Amino acid sequence: MAAAAFPTPIDGSSSATIPLLTPYKMGHFDLSHRIVLAPLTRNRSYNNVPQPHAAVYYSQRATKGGFLITEATGVSDTAQGYPHTPGIWTKEHVEAWKPIVDAVHQKGGIFFVQLWHVGRVSTYDMQPNGQPPISSTDKGITPGIDGGDWAPPKRLTLDEIPGIVNDFRLAAKNAIEAGFDGVEIHGANGYIIEQFLKDKVNDRTDIYGGSMENRARFALEIVEAVANEIGSNRVGIRLSPYTDFMESIDSNPDALGLYMANALNDFDLLYIHVIEPRVSGARVIEGSEDEVPHKLLPMRKAFKNTFIAAGGYNRNKGNRAIADGYADLIAYGRVFLANPDLPKRYEIDAALNKYDRSTFYIKDPVLGYTDYPFLE
């Protein structure tokens, strides 16, 4: 793919020479740069209710025309697998999100919520009435994987699947009521959508199993329901065909990724957000300083709207990916977590704060959350 031509930044600054700092039009959204806050679970939404400290956290990372995606946010009471993750299925959740969204909008940011259902990545005590978690399958995850003693799941019946699809639709409706600019459907990282998509998990013999078309049916039904509810120009999806997180593996990830990229074109989605093969859960296989593997290039070429790449990117790799036309936007996780002013640091090539993994998932409303220093 030919190298992209970059216009002068909206503010007329000299960052035209820095691909990550060039503006981009994503549908009807005018982005001032190409650096995206990736969705990052932080476990600080007590009892699934977003808290006021989240307004500080997200607004710290917001810039005028910058694009932020929330941490994974549950669509129902059965969607839970980890403590103190936010929800968006009740009126209380909607009201709690409103000031957080307002804080980002006051900084000029564009803010999407990531809609999530964990499926079988759960335990009895995380489920309503201590029931089994739900999935495409009744095969459980090996106990102890990622530190959890995951409960054996219950296979969803054909009659139950439309209810889960509807949970995503209602969550998307709630997101717009809360003021979000749009939603990202979490179709990655071994959670419920991948439990249908990937053939090493999905062992169904009905219309949701077997062929790639059947395994993709659940994901595409969710996409269709959400797009019909709020408009496809407000909907993205995150995919990770190459990852093996939570024992969610596909025998032909190249074909699966390409199939999904082509199928999603039918819905005219705003974007797809794809995780690089070098990432699996919290593990990242580091390459050279400026290596861009181009493994996602077939998906990028197939999908007709915005393409976001994520996983193991630094400043050099991000600039290279944009300059090569490999991606339109680059999502940053841990480095953005630790550097709330990451776009500014990348603009002037400033030193970065180091992230502290031990504080990623604690309940503290400040430590490792809103206390990372700014340049100024």
Side-chain angles (χ1 to χ4, degrees):
M1 185 172 290
F6 299 110
T8 302
I10 292 169
D11 62 5
S13 73
S14 61
S15 59
T17 57
I18 304 172
L20 282 168
L21 272 296
T22 55
Y24 177 75
K25 191 167 184 64
M26 181 177 70
H28 62 284
F29 299 107
D30 291 316
L31 307 187
S32 59
H33 57 79
R34 317 258 186 145
I35 300 166
V36 179
L37 176 65
L40 297 162
T41 292
R42 303 309 313 272
N43 299 95
R44 289 163 167 89
S45 296
Y46 312 136
N47 299 314
N48 305 125
V49 179
Q51 298 293 310
H53 46 250
V56 179
Y57 171 76
Y58 284 112
S59 65
Q60 283 180 337
R61 287 152 183 80
T63 52
K64 182 175 175 57
F67 182 36
L68 286 72
I69 307 167
T70 71
E71 59 212 280
T73 299
V75 299
S76 70
D77 58 356
T78 69
Q80 306 308 305
Y82 302 92
H84 305 302
T85 56
I88 196 161
W89 74 89
T90 72
K91 183 68 173 176
E92 181 184 12
H93 298 151
V94 171
E95 293 304 313
W97 274 117
K98 285 180 178 179
I100 302 168
V101 177
D102 287 345
V104 171
H105 284 163
Q106 286 171 15
K107 296 281 290 289
I110 295 146
F111 203 18
F112 277 37
V113 61
Q114 189 188 62
L115 303 182
W116 185 36
H117 194 301
V118 300
R120 67 177 186 165
V121 187
S122 190
T123 57
Y124 293 125
D125 61 350
M126 294 298 299
Q127 292 296 307
N129 304 314
Q131 65 194 34
I134 56 177
S135 181
S136 64
T137 180
D138 55 13
K139 293 186 301 184
I141 303 166
T142 303
I145 291 286
D146 203 45
D149 289 324
W150 311 106
K154 173 190 175 297
R155 185 191 305 268
L156 285 164
T157 67
L158 288 175
D159 290 340
E160 291 170 327
I161 288 174
I164 309 305
V165 173
N166 195 51
D167 286 339
F168 278 86
R169 180 189 68 79
L170 291 173
K173 181 180 180 180
N174 286 343
I176 299 305
E177 183 181 344
F180 283 104
D181 298 296
V183 306
E184 176 176 284
I185 297 165
H186 195 345
N189 297 123
Y191 299 116
I192 199 167
I193 290 176
E194 274 208 345
Q195 292 159 32
F196 278 84
L197 281 174
K198 292 188 170 180
D199 61 9
K200 298 300 184 184
V201 181
N202 186 340
D203 57 358
R204 303 177 74 96
T205 57
D206 57 21
I207 62 169
Y208 290 94
S211 69
M212 197 170 293
E213 179 182 7
N214 282 356
R215 286 183 279 118
R217 190 184 307 275
F218 178 66
L220 298 179
E221 286 179 350
I222 289 172
V223 167
E224 182 176 33
V226 169
N228 286 344
E229 181 65 41
I230 67 171
S232 62
N233 62 339
R234 294 182 180 275
V235 181
I237 187 169
R238 197 177 209 211
L239 301 170
S240 60
Y242 296 95
T243 66
D244 60 1
F245 190 55
M246 291 297 172
E247 301 180 325
S248 188
I249 304 165
D250 194 79
S251 63
N252 192 346
D254 292 331
L256 178 62
L258 190 58
Y259 180 89
M260 288 299 294
N262 281 306
L264 291 164
N265 281 329
D266 293 341
F267 302 95
D268 197 27
L269 282 202
L270 181 65
Y271 70 80
I272 59 173
H273 176 185
V274 190
I275 300 174
E276 292 280 1
R278 59 182 169 223
V279 178
S280 180
R283 303 191 309 276
V284 179
I285 301 168
E286 299 289 352
S288 65
E289 176 69 11
D290 58 357
E291 174 199 21
V292 177
H294 290 86
K295 184 68 171 176
L296 305 181
L297 195 56
M299 292 181 71
R300 195 275 193 273
K301 288 181 174 180
F303 187 69
K304 66 184 182 182
N305 291 335
T306 296
F307 190 89
I308 305 173
Y313 280 93
N314 57 22
R315 183 179 186 269
N316 288 351
K317 292 176 184 177
N319 280 324
R320 176 72 181 274
I322 299 299
D324 287 354
Y326 176 67
D328 298 305
L329 307 172
I330 304 295
Y332 290 89
R334 295 165 297 173
V335 68
F336 213 157
L337 177 158
N339 295 272
D341 52 356
L342 185 66
K344 182 64 177 178
R345 289 176 188 257
Y346 276 1
E347 181 180 355
I348 64 175
D349 201 13
L352 300 178
N353 301 321
K354 289 182 168 57
Y355 57 81
D356 181 357
R357 190 182 296 277
S358 71
T359 63
F360 281 1
Y361 307 117
I362 64 175
K363 290 173 60 177
D364 195 289
V366 176
L367 180 64
Y369 191 58
T370 59
D371 60 348
Y372 282 104
F374 290 74
L375 282 170
E376 299 173 359

